[in-house]
Structures are given as structure tokens and as C-alpha cells.
């Protein structure tokens, strides 16, 4: 008989009760941080914040924010609240520049993390009957091991492939009868493409579920992934500083990502002013970890732009859901004074059938003017033989982008399979302005 991992009492807890639980945990964790992490003691003292001030959830507003800079300034272990002896695992996120952000877990943290993941993959539809290929890179990155332990917990058969060596991934997928895939959406696309190149039809592959995440993916891109791989693609959100994956994830209904709200308390703020926004508004996601022992984080500014709904979901879960992030506040491109999110560009070009789901966004400065170029990859190279059709296609893309973004974009069409592919998070934006 199929076994389900469903922590019903907590996952369907009435809102009022859930908020009571959050308040109790918030009071505890605030004091815990003050007593055990010098950074928080300093921040609280400087802000004149006293832990006893927390009487209602809304009093969270008095707690100072934590940022990536705090991690950087306290590298590597300065934010830990327990002695190293109690830390059973370290992970790190590869910062684009300089030192990585280091995160630690106690035994209890690892247990809580597996629970969070087990809940989310179950909500997405994974069971103990699934054979799951994990194609996130194993190592310091939190993605692979995070999903790994959660999936083992629900009794799924885990295949720890790691990322890369894509032909072998496809071979194993076919031979093992893999039913679910864990990867970034962009690597999933690559796997689908390589399967096609190897002449393997999706009918020979039993994939039915994608447990994707770790990078943005528009609805349009997700459709492409589903068409390639013939599966239901679900999304997972998280970040190293908070735990890794396991913060929130979609249930099979795919109408937002459910937070594990008994462990992560979300808020939405105005990224410019830092003011808390009303329920339902779009802004920067801020998270407070309510249960973590080794590395508790208060009001962490994720920089991810999203909104939260508190309506109960049709699936029965009461925990709030976040919309797919439209981007990060620091990913937003300012082009000649206009704000452009790469996800807007992705949405537009993914609706054009002649264009493959691989693209690059290149920003340069000529004189004092910013130039935005979008390089799209053709599905079929034969278009290149007709100047008229090439020109017509370029004009259509240019027009559609201008309609959505409000600015002129240079559109370049590249030969099929000529743009870079990714085994982890895709890097599609190349900003050459400050080079
Ligand atoms: O990417 C953790 C993770 C692993 C999440 C596997 C889901 C699955 P970091 O490497 O620290 O951690 O990157 C965190 O990635 O702030 C977002 O900007 C972005 N991100 C993560 N998940 C999503 C998602 C992991 N589902 C940063 N949609 C975050 C959009 C995402 N962006």
C-alpha cells in the first residue's frame, strides 16, 4: 500500500492556531538569538529593541532586518548560535564574488529540514513508489542533499546522480524507470534536449513528476519543460541562508508555493523603504526562521519579489502560499530609466514557437545610453536561409518585447543549439555596463 507523508495536524492547522504557534515560537527565537548570537545582541541594543516587546505577531516590525552583508561580515561561523560541536553539517552558497555564505545545521535542524522537504514533495505528488533522480549538484549546495533526505524520508527510491554527464542521466532514467526528476528547470530542459539527440522517445521514459526549483521559471518556460519531458512540473523555493530548499513549495494544484509556516514566518516589505506591506501586496520577501538552532535568522531580506496569499488552498493545507518570484530586486535591470525584469523577457519570447527555450540577455552602455540585446535561439535552422522570414521573425519579437517592456530591444537570432546550456542555475543575463 502506498504510504503518505502528511503532517495533517500541522499542515491543515486553522490559521488562528497557527498564528498562536508562530507567536510563541517568535518570542522564543528572538530571545534565543539575543542570548546566543553577538550580532543580534548588538543589533537589538542599538535599535533599543527588547525581546519582551513581542506581544503580537505584528510586533515583529520592531526587530531589525538581517541581510546578506551580515553573513559576509561574520564569515564563516559568526552567526551560529551553537558551539561547533553541536553542528552536524555545513553547507555554503557560492557567492558570485568573494567568500561563500556558510550555513550550519544541528541534528534537530537536519531532522526539521527533512520534514519540511518530505511535506513539500508529498504535497507535489511524490510517494514511496517513485524512483527519483536527483540532478542538482551534490556538495556544498543545499539543493541536492535537502531534497535527498526529504525524499528518503517519504520512502521514495533516491538516485543521487548529481548534475552533469547528461547522456548518462538519460540512460539511467530510461534503464531505472525513473518517475520523478529533481533539478533546475533549465537543466531539465537540457536533459530533455539530450534525450531527443540520443533518439530516446519520452514514451520510453517513465517520468511523471518534476520537482524543480532554485531558479526562476516563468509559466511559459515551465510549459516548454513539460512539453519536452512529458511530466507535471512543480516548483520549490528556498535559500541557503534560511535552510536551503524546504521554505516553500507547490502542491499538485500549483497555485502558489506553500510555506512551511510553522518553521518560516514570511512578510512582504517595500524593498526601497523597508516598510511592511499589507496582505496580498507584491514586494520583497522577508523570512524569520522559527525553529532553527544552529543558524536562526531574524527577518532576513531575501531580495526575492513576490506576494503571499493566506487563503486556504483547495488541497486542504492552510499554510500561506507565495507566488512565483518575478525576480530579485537586485536582478532588476534599469535600462534607460525603465525597470526590466528578465522574467518579463522570458515570458514574451517563450510564446514565440520558432524560438527555443534558450536565450541570453546582454546589457551594454554606448556613450551614456544603455542598450538591451536579447539573443534568441532558433528551433529550426532553415529560417536562416530566408532573409525575409528571418527579418519578419525578428520584427515580431522586437514588437512583442516593446509592447511589454516599453523600450526598444535589439533582437538577435542565433543558430539552433548555439547558446549556452546549464547543469545548475542558468545565467542568462550578461550585464557589461560596469566592466
Ligand atoms: O537555490 C535553494 C534551493 C535549492 C531551492 C533547490 C529550491 C530547490 P541558493 O543557492 O541560496 O538556494 O539560492 C537562493 O535562488 O533567493 C531565489 O532568488 C532563487 N530561487 C530559489 N528557488 C527559486 C524558485 C537555493 N523556485 C535564491 N523560483 C533565492 C525562483 C528561486 N527563484
Amino acid at each position: 500500500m502506498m504510504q503518505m507523508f502528511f503532517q495533517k495536524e500541522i499542515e491543515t492547522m486553522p490559521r488562528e492556531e497557527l498564528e498562536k504557534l508562530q507567536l510563541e515560537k517568535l518570542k522564543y527565537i528572538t530571545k534565543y538569538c539575543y542570548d546566543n548570537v553577538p550580532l543580534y545582541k548588538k543589533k537589538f541594543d542599538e535599535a533599543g529593541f527588547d525581546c519582551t516587546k513581542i506581544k503580537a505577531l505584528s510586533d515583529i516590525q520592531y526587530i531589525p532586518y538581517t541581510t546578506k552583508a551580515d553573513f559576509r561580515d561574520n564569515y564563516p561561523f559568526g552567526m551560529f548560535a551553537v558551539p561547533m560541536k553541536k553542528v552536524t553539517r555545513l553547507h555554503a552558497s557560492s557567492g558570485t564574488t568573494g567568500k561563500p555564505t556558510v550555513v550550519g545545521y544541528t541534528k534537530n535542524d537536519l531532522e526539521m529540514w527533512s520534514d519540511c522537504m518530505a511535506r513539500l514533495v508529498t504535497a507535489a505528488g511524490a510517494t514511496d513508489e517513485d524512483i527519483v533522480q536527483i540532478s542538482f549538484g551534490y556538495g556544498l549546495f543545499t539543493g541536492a542533499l535537502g531534497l535527498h533526505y526529504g525524499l528518503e524520508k517519504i520512502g521514495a527510491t533516491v538516485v543521487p546522480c548529481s548534475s552533469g554527464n547528461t547522456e548518462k542521466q538519460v540512460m539511467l532514467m530510461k534503464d531505472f524507470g525513473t518517475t520523478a526528476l529533481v533539478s533546475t528547470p533549465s537543466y531539465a530542459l537540457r536533459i530533455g534536449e539530450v534525450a531527443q539527440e540520443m533518439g530516446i522517445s519520452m514514451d520510453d521514459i517513465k517520468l511523471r513528476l518534476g520537482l524543480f526549483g532554485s531558479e526562476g521559471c516563468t509559466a511559459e518556460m515551465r510549459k516548454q519543460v513539460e512539453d519536452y519531458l512529458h511530466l507535471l512540473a512543480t516548483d520549490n523555493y528556498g535559500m541557503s541562508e534560511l535552510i536551503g530548499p524546504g521554505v516553500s513549495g507547490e502542491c499538485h494544484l500549483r497555485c502558489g508555493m506553500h510555506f512551511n509556516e510553522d518553521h518560516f514566518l514570511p512578510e512582504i516589505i517595500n524593498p526601497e523603504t523597508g516598510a511592511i506591506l499589507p496582505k496580498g501586496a507584491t514586494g520583497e520577501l522577508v523570512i524569520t526562521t522559527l525553529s532553527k538552532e544552529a543558524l536562526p535568522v531574524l527577518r532576513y531580506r531575501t531580495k526575492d519579489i513576490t506576494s503571499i496569499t493566506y487563503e486556504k488552498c483547495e488541497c486542504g493545507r492552510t499554510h500561506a502560499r507565495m507566488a512565483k518570484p518575478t525576480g530579485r530586486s537586485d536582478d532588476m535591470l534599469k535600462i534607460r530609466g525603465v525597470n526590466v525584469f528578465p522574467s518579463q523577457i522570458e515570458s514574451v519570447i517563450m510564446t514565440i514557437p520558432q524560438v527555443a527555450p534558450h536565450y541570453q540577455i546582454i546589457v551594454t552602455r554606448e556613450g551614456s545610453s544603455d542598450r538591451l540585446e536579447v539573443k534568441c535561439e532558433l528551433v529550426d535552422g532553415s529560417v536562416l536561409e530566408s532573409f525575409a522570414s528571418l527579418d519578419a521573425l525578428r520584427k515580431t519579437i522586437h514588437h512583442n518585447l516593446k509592447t511589454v517592456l516599453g523600450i526598444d530591444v535589439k533582437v538577435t537570432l542565433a543558430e539552433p543549439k548555439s547558446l549556452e546550456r546549464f547543469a545548475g542555475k542558468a545565467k542568462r543575463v550578461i550585464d557589461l555596463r560596469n566592466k
Side-chain angles (χ1 to χ4, degrees):
M1 209 184 66
M2 202 162 75
Q3 298 273 323
M4 288 284 282
F5 187 95
F6 184 32
Q7 295 183 319
K8 188 166 179 208
E9 199 191 325
I10 197 87
E11 291 184 68
T12 63
M13 188 176 261
R15 248 293 18 105
E16 216 173 287
E17 251 177 79
L18 184 58
E19 287 182 2
K20 243 195 226 155
L21 176 68
Q22 288 177 320
L23 177 59
E24 283 320 302
K25 291 182 111 176
L26 181 65
K27 286 181 184 168
Y28 175 81
I29 203 77
T30 312
K31 170 102 176 47
Y32 177 79
C33 284
Y34 186 80
D35 292 343
N36 293 289
V37 184
L39 170 81
Y40 287 115
K41 180 169 186 333
K42 182 163 170 278
K43 275 187 186 247
F44 289 10
D45 289 346
E46 274 171 14
F49 170 73
D50 165 0
C51 298
T52 56
K53 232 179 178 170
I54 306 271
K55 301 265 189 267
L57 274 182
S58 57
D59 294 331
I60 196 170
Q61 64 181 304
Y62 303 118
I63 304 177
Y65 291 119
T66 306
T67 65
K68 181 101 179 169
D70 293 320
F71 277 85
R72 222 180 11 239
D73 296 346
N74 291 282
Y75 174 84
F77 309 136
M79 308 257 296
F80 287 12
V82 297
M84 212 45 174
K85 194 171 163 358
K86 290 246 155 94
V87 175
T88 17
R89 176 103 61 83
L90 293 175
H91 277 282
S93 85
S94 53
T96 37
T97 49
K99 305 270 193 197
T101 302
V102 181
V103 297
Y105 306 76
T106 63
K107 253 197 166 64
N108 287 338
D109 291 336
L110 290 177
E111 199 51 46
M112 182 272 276
W113 192 14
S114 313
D115 272 355
C116 285
M117 270 328 314
R119 282 184 200 167
L120 296 183
V121 297
T122 300
T127 73
D128 60 349
E129 293 183 354
D130 277 303
I131 299 179
V132 190
Q133 193 157 320
I134 301 194
S135 306
F136 277 139
Y138 276 76
L140 288 173
F141 175 54
T142 54
L145 285 168
L147 268 294
H148 183 115
Y149 282 95
L151 284 157
E152 277 192 356
K153 188 156 214 164
I154 70 162
T157 309
V158 172
V159 189
C161 274
S162 201
S163 61
N165 204 347
T166 313
E167 291 198 1
K168 186 167 169 200
Q169 303 255 2
V170 175
M171 179 188 84
L172 295 182
M173 203 172 258
K174 178 165 174 270
D175 296 348
F176 290 1
T178 302
T179 56
L181 172 65
V182 171
S183 71
T184 56
S186 47
Y187 192 45
L189 267 179
R190 178 66 187 146
I191 292 175
E193 186 177 53
V194 169
Q196 228 173 40
E197 286 165 10
M198 291 166 72
I200 292 177
S201 143
M202 279 302 139
D203 297 337
D204 299 329
I205 285 187
K206 294 203 182 119
L207 274 186
R208 62 172 195 89
L209 180 65
L211 299 164
F212 300 133
S214 184
E215 67 178 6
C217 174
T218 58
E220 293 79 7
M221 177 66 94
R222 158 136 104 184
K223 167 113 192 11
Q224 300 260 356
V225 175
E226 293 191 318
D227 289 350
Y228 254 103
L229 291 169
H230 299 191
L231 46 65
L232 179 86
T234 61
D235 198 2
N236 273 284
Y237 170 86
M239 71 196 307
S240 323
E241 293 89 323
L242 299 173
I243 198 163
V247 175
S248 68
E250 281 178 324
C251 65
H252 64 285
L253 298 174
R254 304 193 301 176
C255 47
M257 294 187 266
H258 288 276
F259 286 103
N260 278 306
E261 251 197 298
D262 50 330
H263 300 305
F264 300 96
L265 180 62
E267 299 170 78
I268 296 287
I269 65 163
N270 177 325
E272 265 129 51
T273 63
I276 299 177
L277 294 177
K279 282 194 168 162
T282 298
E284 178 179 343
L285 178 68
V286 168
I287 298 270
T288 297
T289 66
L290 294 175
S291 316
K292 277 171 69 198
E293 295 177 342
L295 182 54
V297 187
L298 300 179
R299 304 194 84 201
Y300 190 66
R301 292 195 57 164
T302 66
K303 300 211 165 154
D304 291 311
I305 305 295
T306 184
S307 61
I308 299 176
T309 170
Y310 289 84
E311 301 278 298
K312 182 174 166 186
C313 178
E314 292 279 304
C315 75
R317 291 175 181 80
T318 48
H319 293 212
R321 286 164 284 152
M322 63 181 261
K324 274 178 183 299
T326 47
R328 297 176 53 80
S329 55
D330 52 1
D331 273 358
M332 192 180 71
L333 300 165
K334 256 219 163 21
I335 308 291
R336 302 192 289 278
V338 177
N339 296 343
V340 173
F341 273 111
S343 60
Q344 293 176 293
I345 299 178
E346 180 174 301
S347 288
V348 171
I349 56 185
M350 287 307 101
T351 56
I352 305 209
Q354 296 96 320
V355 163
H358 307 281
Y359 63 94
Q360 264 177 8
I361 298 170
I362 303 155
V363 193
T364 49
R365 178 165 289 148
E366 282 171 34
S368 60
S369 179
D370 301 323
R371 299 268 156 149
L372 181 63
E373 176 183 354
V374 177
K375 249 189 202 174
C376 303
E377 190 181 285
L378 293 165
V379 173
D380 174 4
S382 66
V383 189
L384 288 166
E385 283 153 31
S386 154
F387 177 78
S389 26
L390 207 56
D391 199 44
L393 178 58
R394 204 178 1 237
K395 280 191 175 130
T396 307
I397 302 173
H398 177 269
H399 173 265
N400 293 2
L401 284 172
K402 184 159 188 181
T403 309
V404 170
L405 307 177
I407 53 167
D408 270 310
V409 176
K410 178 176 175 197
V411 175
T412 315
L413 297 171
E415 284 185 40
K417 307 212 168 151
S418 62
L419 297 185
E420 191 178 351
R421 305 294 194 258
F422 302 93
K425 295 182 197 247
K427 285 192 195 69
R428 297 195 176 98
V429 180
I430 305 165
D431 194 337
L432 300 169
R433 281 178 296 187
N434 297 319
K435 295 270 148 72

